[in-house]
Amino acid sequence: MSKKKQPAIIIPEGTTEVLLHACCAPCSSAIVEWLLLHGVRPTIYYFNPNIYPREEYEIRKQESKRHAESLGINWIDGDYNHPAWLHCVSGLEGEPERGGRCQLCFNMRLKAAAQEASRLGLRVFTTTLASSRWKSLEQIERAGQLAQELVPGTLFWAQNWRKGGLYERRNQLLREFQFYNQQYCGCEFSMRGKR
């Protein structure tokens, strides 16, 4: 008896709208395209207080907004409060990528995404962080599950957004839209050895 192959991406039952926490335009582009093609309308929530310096944050923000506007989808600007983020990760500045600092960063950002989804009356939220090969899917899933528990009535769509050809499509869309493509995760601590 042959096993039926599971699809790479599984939409939570009954989902027609989703809040998509987006870290940048390149990472969200293929996900947004896939969602729209599969009858799920995303609202992009740009909440990234980890990004440093402010100029870098603004460049990524404007690219994300430009992308959303070009597709006619809702785009929400989360607050940029880098000092609050620094306080959140205080004491973990020396941690390596995928360490404890990243876990707290994901926790903070996905809790805010769940809260925004709830405010908008959207049950399901997900994140583009799970499209990066540099990020730990386990850490992202833990952060999403925690956010779901902290914000009743929300559901975290835990999805590996690298699958189903989306990583390759991301790279194509990056060229098509001529997106600014950053060379480091975002925070000052992730810049070590990158410049």
Side-chain angles (χ1 to χ4, degrees):
M1 186 151 90
S2 67
K3 280 188 171 181
K4 187 175 180 184
K5 189 178 178 199
Q6 286 277 43
I9 299 170
I10 301 170
I11 301 170
E13 191 174 330
T15 301
T16 58
E17 291 184 277
V18 65
L19 182 114
L20 176 64
H21 167 262
C23 57
C24 63
C27 286
S28 63
S29 59
I31 298 169
V32 167
E33 181 181 74
W34 189 95
L35 291 168
L36 291 171
L37 286 171
H38 290 84
V40 179
R41 185 106 184 131
T43 292
I44 293 180
Y45 181 52
Y46 185 81
F47 178 71
N48 302 292
N50 58 306
I51 298 175
Y52 178 88
R54 179 73 187 237
E55 296 76 24
E56 177 76 15
Y57 172 85
E58 291 296 333
I59 291 168
R60 295 186 196 192
K61 179 174 99 169
Q62 291 309 316
E63 285 289 85
S64 178
K65 187 175 183 185
R66 173 174 74 93
H67 177 239
E69 287 175 348
S70 76
L71 299 172
I73 59 177
N74 292 337
W75 183 90
I76 298 168
D77 186 3
D79 289 335
Y80 179 70
N81 188 340
H82 193 65
W85 180 84
L86 286 171
H87 179 74
C88 175
V89 300
S90 179
L92 299 174
E93 296 85 352
E95 286 274 309
E97 289 299 291
R98 297 179 175 223
R101 182 185 68 249
C102 293
Q103 185 66 67
L104 290 183
C105 178
F106 299 157
N107 292 353
M108 177 189 197
R109 290 155 76 194
L110 293 186
K111 179 183 175 191
Q115 289 170 330
E116 187 65 17
S118 180
R119 186 186 74 78
L120 295 170
L122 298 173
R123 184 177 71 93
V124 180
F125 69 101
T126 192
T127 181
T128 63
L129 293 168
S131 70
S132 171
R133 58 193 172 127
W134 307 111
K135 303 283 174 244
S136 161
L137 292 173
E138 292 78 19
Q139 284 185 326
I140 294 163
E141 188 163 343
R142 274 197 302 273
Q145 293 297 328
L146 176 62
Q148 173 183 299
E149 290 168 20
L150 293 171
V151 184
T154 62
L155 173 71
F156 178 61
W157 182 355
Q159 178 63 58
N160 179 348
W161 292 109
R162 304 169 200 161
K163 291 190 170 186
L166 292 187
Y167 189 78
E168 295 77 12
R169 182 63 179 146
R170 171 208 185 274
N171 293 331
Q172 292 171 347
L173 290 169
L174 190 150
R175 290 187 294 275
E176 285 177 29
F177 278 93
Q178 297 183 334
F179 287 134
Y180 165 74
N181 190 27
Q182 61 279 357
Q183 299 302 310
Y184 65 103
C185 171
C187 78
E188 52 267 53
F189 312 115
S190 69
M191 292 168 72
R192 290 186 290 244
K194 300 282 197 269
R195 290 192 165 182

